[in-house]
Amino acid sequence: MSFPIVRHRRLRRTAAMRSMVRETVLNIEDLIQPVFISYGSGVKNEITSMPGVFQFSLDTLKPEIDEIVSLRIPAVLLFGIPESKDGIGSSGFADNGIVQEATRLIKSWYPDLMVIADTCLCEFTDHGHCGMVHTFERDGHTCGDVMNDESLELLARTAVSQAKAGADIIAPSNMMDGFVQAIRSALDDEGFEHIPIMSYSVKYASAFYGPFRDAADSAPQFGDRKTYQMDPANVREALREAESDVLEGADMLMVKPALAYLDIVRLLRDQFDLPLVTYNVSGEYSMVKAAAMQGWINEKAIVMEMLTGMKRAGSDMIITYFAKDAAGWIKDR
C-alpha cells in the first residue's frame, strides 16, 4: 500500500505523538565530561579556543566536580597538565602525578563518580608525542621517530599508577600497536584485573583536535602524529584496529573524532558487541560555540541534534565538552 492509505505524517502530528514513537533518546547517563587538571594553585584558566572550558588546579577543582555530580553526569575523563615534562613523560606515571592526585581527591569526595584516566604520554613529554621518540637532525630540522615497542612499557606503567590512585576505567589514547595487550597484562599482574580498558581503538589524525592542544598543552614540538594515528580517508583500517583491541582484551571501543566519522561508528556498532564510545572533540565543540556566539545558530538545538546523531549511529557513551549543558537541557526536557 502507498499514499493515500499510508500517511507517514500521522505519527508526527503532535509533540506527544513524536515522543511516543521516538527511536533514539539521549540520556544523562550517556554523557562523560572531560576535565583538565593543572599543576599549581588558584588556577581556573578558561581555554581561549574553548569558551566555557577551564583548566583547574587541585584547590579549585571541587566546585566543578560538585556541579558535574549535581547534574547526575556519571563519569569524568581526566587530562593532566604537569609542572615539568621530559623525554619519557615520567610525570605521567609518577605516583604523585597530577592525574593521580586528582583521582584520589575526586574519589574521596564522590566515591560513586566514575573516574576515567586518559592514558597517554603526549601531555607529559617535552616533545609532545604519545610515546618515546628517537630524535635526529635532517637538513637543519629536528625530526623524530616514535618508538612503538619501547613506549608500551611506559604506557603500562602509567595505567598501573592510575589504577593504584583509584581510577575506575583506563582509557589509553596513544595508538601504539599492542597497547591494549601491554596495559591489560600490566593491570592483571598488579591485581587490577577488575579495571576495564576503554580503548581509543579508532583514533584518526584529525584537524579537529586543534583546541585540545591548547587545553592540554600537548602540541607536538616537531612533526605530526600521522605515523601512529589513522588516515582520515580509511574505513577498512578501522575494523582492523578495533579487532586487534578486542583480541587484546579491550572492554570498550572508541571512535575519535565523532561528527565526521559517524559512518565508522555505525560500522563498529554492526561488527562488534562491546560498548561503543564516541568522542565529541574540541574542534567540534569550538565550531558550535563560535557560531552560537555570533548568533548564527541555536546552540541548544544544534548540540542536542548532534549528540542524538552520535547515539543514533550506535554510540553507547559520548565524551563531550557539552556534557554539563546537555545534562541540564535533558533535565528540563
Side-chain angles (χ1 to χ4, degrees), residues 34 255-259 278-285 288 303 306-307 310 318-323:
V255 175
K256 181 183 179 182
L259 280 180
T278 50
Y279 200 140
N280 178 211
V281 299
S282 60
E284 298 164 352
Y285 173 87
V288 172
V303 170
M306 182 171 64
L307 298 180
M310 295 171 197
I318 303 170
I319 302 167
T320 177
Y321 303 98
F322 288 113

Side-chain angles (χ1 to χ4, degrees), residues 44 57 77 93 108 114 138 140 147-148 164 170 180 184 193 195 204 237 252 286 291-292 313 319 322:
K44 186 182 177 182
S57 54
L77 174 62
F93 50 82
S108 72
M114 297 290 288
R138 178 182 291 163
M147 303 161 68
N148 190 96
K164 287 181 177 178
I170 298 299
V180 173
R184 183 73 272 159
E193 62 277 351
I195 298 295
Y204 285 91
E237 183 182 2
M252 293 173 257
S286 295
I319 302 167
F322 288 113

Side-chain angles (χ1 to χ4, degrees), residues 7 72 108 153 160 171 188 218 260 266 285 315:
R7 291 181 180 268
R72 296 189 291 109
S108 72
E153 179 184 355
V160 169
D188 291 355
S218 63
R266 172 48 57 187
Y285 173 87
S315 180

Side-chain angles (χ1 to χ4, degrees), residues 262-328:
L262 293 181
D263 59 323
I264 308 300
V265 176
R266 172 48 57 187
L267 180 67
L268 263 64
R269 175 73 293 145
D270 291 342
Q271 293 292 323
F272 303 100
D273 60 2
L274 292 179
L276 184 58
V277 186
T278 50
Y279 200 140
N280 178 211
V281 299
S282 60
E284 298 164 352
Y285 173 87
S286 295
M287 288 192 303
V288 172
K289 279 292 185 182
M293 290 168 69
Q294 293 293 324
W296 296 337
I297 61 172
N298 180 327
E299 180 178 354
K300 174 183 175 181
I302 289 286
V303 170
M304 296 302 285
E305 182 177 342
M306 182 171 64
L307 298 180
T308 300
M310 295 171 197
K311 191 169 181 187
R312 188 185 65 244
S315 180
D316 298 299
M317 292 161 275
I318 303 170
I319 302 167
T320 177
Y321 303 98
F322 288 113
K324 291 192 298 180
D325 290 333

Side-chain angles (χ1 to χ4, degrees), residues 87-89 93 119 121 131-132 150-159:
I88 63 171
F93 50 82
T119 306
L121 299 176
M132 290 180 63
E150 293 84 350
S151 301
L152 295 179
E153 179 184 355
L154 301 179
L155 293 164
R157 290 177 64 183
T158 302

Side-chain angles (χ1 to χ4, degrees), residues 79-100:
F79 297 95
I81 301 97
E83 184 173 10
S84 62
K85 304 185 180 191
D86 57 30
I88 63 171
S90 59
S91 57
F93 50 82
D95 288 340
N96 62 346
I98 189 67
V99 170
Q100 289 81 353

Side-chain angles (χ1 to χ4, degrees), residues 65 68-69 73-76 106-107 110-116 168:
I65 302 301
I68 290 168
V69 170
I73 296 170
V76 292
I106 293 170
K107 296 304 288 187
Y110 296 106
D112 293 333
L113 179 65
M114 297 290 288
V115 173
I116 306 169
D168 297 289

